[in-house]
Amino acid sequence: MSKGVNYYVEAGKRAMQWHAEYQLKMKKCKFDTIAVHGIYSMQEALDFNQGSIIEPMYMASSQAYRDSDEMEAALSYQIPTWCYSRIANPSMYYLEGVLAMLETYGSDITATCCATASGMAAIQSACDPFLTVDPKNPDAKMNFVATCQVYGGTFQQFAIRKDQEKNIEWRKVINSANIEEWESLIDKNTRFLYGEMPSNPGQAFFDLEKVIAVAHKHGIPLIIDNTVGSPALLRPLVWGADIVIQSVTKSLTTSGFGIAGAVIAKNNLSHLRIENDELKANFGFYIKALPNRDNGPNISPMNAILTLNDIRTLRSKMDLMSRNTMKVAEFLSKHKHIEKVDYLGLENHPLHQLAKKYLVLVDSEYDDLYNEKVNRYGHLMSFRVKGGAQAARDVFDGLQRIWRATDLGRIKSVATIPAISTHSQQGEEGRKIADIPANLIRLCVGAEHADDIIADLDQALGVLDGKKIISTSPEYSAAGASSARLRY
Ligand SMILES: *Cc1c(COP(=O)(O)O)cnc(C)c1O
């Protein structure tokens, strides 16, 4: 005899209730505890996961159902289900749970996360639902207002994929610290505000509370790229932003094991003027269940587990890497071959006071090393080498410990020259407005001992005094020929 759809719906309600209560209990824990355990409980481990102390990783494409009633209840989204790994998956679920909790830590705000295959997919997933034709005014040209100091990939997505290819105007905020500039760009066809802070690589920063007020005055959401700070240093949702995107690839997956992204959105966005009740009720679930189901940008279970593993120690890593970056920034700012160091942690940075308000090491007041709130400014800095583009390349080529790679937020120190890498596609003009000159080196300091990183920079800068670098980088050899990588 059939149990009936309702049987499963009722059972689903009990399960959801149990999970909601469990999450409320977790929410009372400190940041580190949430980062370590997330929403994975011992009870679930014993009931469903062979007692495994690590979250499950099912590489399966899909989930089976007991009978047609359960299938119907599941596929009409009436019971918790993962169904098909393009939409959801148990590993994804635990990653999404922990990110939603960390981004709202220290508040009673609830948020829902939708994990994606990359940070770029997260940006697209967060922005596109607002860029839909208004049935009342179908011919209006839509626009969005976003800072021009954004990650190079974001610049391309906005400038080419949206502005050029889809005729959705990107109105660029040139000086994001100027709140009037944001407001002056908004009109009735503006769909959202978007900002990256601190920006990669330029360290642009703005008064979040003020930009939130501007957005909400106009009934539009503020989307923040919180990749660089991570929830260990900054939680824009708690300040009042509507949606956060993460390139989970970076600070959150410190080890560098893969590419991942996430959208974390506050539940109940009823203050927005967009006429879409499902979207406003629960944006994270909405994009997961509908647009992302149809577009398919979701994360793989393997990447979800790898990043979960890194997130467990996020706070202490962000603390250590920030302290290391501070030491390196201080060293470089006194160096004779350096024209300028951009790091929000330096007191002479014009946005230092503003950054101080927002960039705080979470729970430092409960940490017996500090016993008070301490500022931490993250692992991202940049410096400009005197003597122009070639001098910068010579120094860059002299690095022996710091990896030359277009990456950031790594446990290993990494440097790049944005003008020829991350920000090359946006052209001279695009780099000029974003203030990315050819002699700028972006440096992300990792968790090595700061003295060793400073020593590496010191010897590399010695090139400009005519010192010869004794290269330790391997010569291309016959052994190398066995690698799949092209050698030349
Ligand atoms: C890397 C990065 C992105 C894009 O993320 P991917 O995971 O590489 O797709 C977006 N924003 C910022 C600030 C980034 O550093």
Side-chain angles (χ1 to χ4, degrees):
M1 240 254 310
S2 147
K3 288 194 172 83
V5 172
N6 212 37
Y7 168 86
Y8 290 107
V9 173
E10 288 305 318
K13 275 190 195 147
R14 286 193 299 275
M16 281 193 282
Q17 179 71 23
W18 187 87
H19 274 246
E21 279 164 20
Y22 184 78
Q23 288 183 37
L24 276 180
K25 267 190 235 156
M26 275 317 290
K27 225 174 147 64
K28 297 207 176 82
C29 294
K30 296 282 189 290
F31 189 93
D32 282 340
T33 310
I34 296 171
V36 169
H37 289 269
I39 61 166
Y40 183 57
S41 61
M42 221 183 303
Q43 179 155 353
E44 284 163 275
L46 294 167
D47 287 353
F48 310 119
N49 198 24
Q50 313 269 335
S52 165
I53 65 168
I54 299 299
E55 293 83 344
M57 184 178 73
Y58 300 118
M59 293 302 284
S61 52
S62 55
Q63 176 186 18
Y65 297 103
R66 288 176 177 82
D67 55 25
S68 61
D69 291 330
E70 190 187 23
M71 183 181 257
E72 186 182 339
L75 273 76
S76 54
Y77 293 137
Q78 294 188 76
I79 58 171
T81 185
W82 60 275
C83 184
Y84 186 61
S85 288
R86 166 155 46 74
I87 304 165
N89 173 282
S91 316
M92 253 184 242
Y93 169 78
Y94 292 109
L95 173 65
E96 290 167 341
V98 72
L99 287 178
M101 289 188 85
L102 295 180
E103 288 285 359
T104 56
Y105 179 73
S107 74
D108 49 19
I109 294 165
T110 57
T112 303
C113 170
C114 174
T116 58
S118 68
M120 294 319 303
I123 295 171
Q124 188 178 24
S125 304
C127 296
D128 284 12
F130 295 102
L131 300 172
T132 50
V133 174
D134 177 0
K136 287 191 203 128
N137 195 1
D139 298 325
K141 179 168 170 160
M142 296 177 249
N143 71 72
F144 60 97
V145 171
T147 52
C148 68
Q149 287 181 302
V150 287
Y151 171 70
T154 313
F155 196 99
Q156 292 305 103
Q157 189 181 111
F158 288 174
I160 310 296
R161 303 309 145 215
K162 296 195 191 326
D163 194 305
Q164 191 177 309
E165 292 182 349
K166 296 203 171 69
N167 199 30
I168 300 167
E169 188 186 351
W170 173 14
R171 297 190 173 171
K172 294 189 190 74
V173 182
I174 307 288
N175 174 10
S176 62
N178 178 0
I179 306 300
E180 282 89 59
E181 192 185 332
W182 287 86
E183 183 138 33
S184 70
L185 296 170
I186 301 171
D187 66 17
K188 65 179 190 332
N189 295 317
T190 302
R191 297 306 183 79
F192 59 82
L193 305 186
Y194 182 101
E196 186 179 312
M197 64 189 286
S199 74
N200 164 11
Q203 306 270 296
F205 206 82
F206 47 87
D207 200 329
L208 192 53
E209 279 188 305
K210 291 194 177 142
V211 178
I212 290 164
V214 170
H216 292 171
K217 186 171 141 194
H218 294 272
I220 50 178
L222 174 64
I223 304 171
I224 295 288
D225 182 337
N226 190 31
T227 298
V228 172
S230 92
L233 305 184
L234 177 66
R235 288 172 303 289
L237 298 183
V238 177
W239 287 98
D242 304 285
I243 299 170
V244 157
I245 76 96
Q246 279 287 351
S247 168
V248 175
T249 317
K250 310 290 171 51
S251 312
L252 291 164
T253 312
T254 333
S255 60
F257 265 129
I259 301 292
V263 179
I264 304 101
K266 208 179 260 184
N267 298 340
N268 186 13
L269 300 175
S270 55
H271 54 283
L272 303 184
R273 67 169 189 230
I274 186 172
E275 288 182 28
N276 182 337
D277 291 339
E278 276 176 297
L279 177 154
K280 286 194 277 198
N282 187 330
F283 185 80
F285 180 72
Y286 170 82
I287 57 173
K288 182 170 206 51
L290 299 168
N292 284 16
R293 175 196 68 186
D294 302 337
N295 294 324
N298 282 347
I299 192 172
S300 91
M302 176 69 112
N303 283 21
I305 288 292
L306 290 174
T307 186
L308 263 176
N309 207 39
D310 274 323
I311 288 170
R312 302 190 214 280
T313 47
L314 178 68
R315 195 188 72 93
S316 49
K317 281 183 298 201
M318 289 301 285
D319 182 20
L320 175 59
M321 288 155 75
S322 299
R323 285 188 283 129
N324 283 349
T325 311
M326 192 71 187
K327 287 182 197 154
V328 171
E330 277 166 355
F331 163 77
L332 287 173
S333 53
K334 288 184 211 114
H335 201 284
K336 65 178 183 193
H337 291 309
I338 301 295
E339 180 186 300
K340 188 174 178 219
V341 176
D342 277 312
Y343 186 53
L344 286 167
L346 293 175
E347 272 173 27
N348 66 0
H349 193 288
L351 297 169
H352 175 73
Q353 285 306 325
L354 185 60
K356 224 176 153 155
K357 173 177 168 189
Y358 290 102
L359 297 176
V360 178
L361 177 67
V362 66
D363 284 353
S364 48
E365 68 272 38
Y366 306 118
D367 187 326
D368 60 7
L369 285 177
Y370 306 119
N371 292 313
E372 60 176 349
K373 280 202 182 297
V374 298
N375 288 107
R376 290 289 178 259
Y377 299 93
H379 44 58
L380 176 77
M381 60 168 291
S382 65
F383 58 95
R384 299 164 200 219
V385 180
K386 279 185 194 159
Q390 191 53 50
R393 288 174 88 125
D394 291 344
V395 171
F396 185 71
D397 293 345
L399 296 172
Q400 299 189 32
R401 177 78 53 226
I402 300 167
W403 296 77
R404 283 175 288 276
T406 57
D407 209 347
L408 66 88
R410 291 290 149 256
I411 198 91
K412 298 179 180 185
S413 294
V414 176
T416 189
I417 299 179
I420 56 164
S421 59
T422 51
H423 292 69
S424 68
Q425 296 144 332
Q426 70 197 57
E428 192 86 31
E429 192 51 36
R431 283 194 297 277
K432 207 165 163 196
I433 57 171
D435 191 23
I436 304 169
N439 66 333
L440 181 143
I441 295 178
R442 180 184 83 189
L443 173 63
C444 273
V445 183
E448 305 94 337
H449 198 287
D451 290 354
D452 292 322
I453 297 308
I454 289 170
D456 191 29
L457 286 161
D458 200 29
Q459 64 79 33
L461 284 157
V463 180
L464 301 179
D465 297 323
K467 286 202 187 104
K468 262 207 139 56
I469 299 273
I470 302 152
S471 176
T472 54
S473 66
E475 288 301 321
Y476 297 126
S477 63
S482 66
S483 117
R485 181 173 161 186
L486 183 64
R487 304 251 168 195
Y488 47 89

